[in-house]
Amino acid sequence: MENNQISKEQINDIIKELWNKVYTPSQFGKELKEKYNIKVKEILAKKLVK
């Protein structure tokens, strides 16, 4: 899944799911990168996640 193929809402849903699993910030980044191929730095730079 590329960043340009995923919506802000989908990213927020993924983050909410990980939050409910009580992930640490580093676990968030690792999971987003490995499982969803989402580069956290690019998302934050685009201000998709608030």
Side-chain angles (χ1 to χ4, degrees):
M1 194 178 308
E2 295 292 325
N3 287 346
N4 59 1
Q5 296 176 333
I6 189 165
S7 72
K8 177 181 175 182
E9 291 78 21
Q10 289 172 309
I11 293 170
N12 285 332
D13 289 342
I14 292 167
I15 290 172
K16 287 176 188 175
E17 176 185 329
L18 297 177
W19 179 262
N20 289 332
K21 292 181 181 179
V22 193
Y23 275 38
T24 65
S26 61
Q27 289 173 315
F28 268 88
K30 183 177 180 180
E31 184 81 5
L32 291 171
K33 181 180 177 185
E34 292 179 358
K35 187 172 180 182
Y36 299 101
N37 196 29
I38 297 172
K39 296 176 179 89
V40 177
K41 287 183 182 181
E42 289 179 15
I43 291 171
L44 294 176
K46 293 179 184 178
K47 297 182 182 179
L48 292 176
V49 180
K50 294 182 180 182

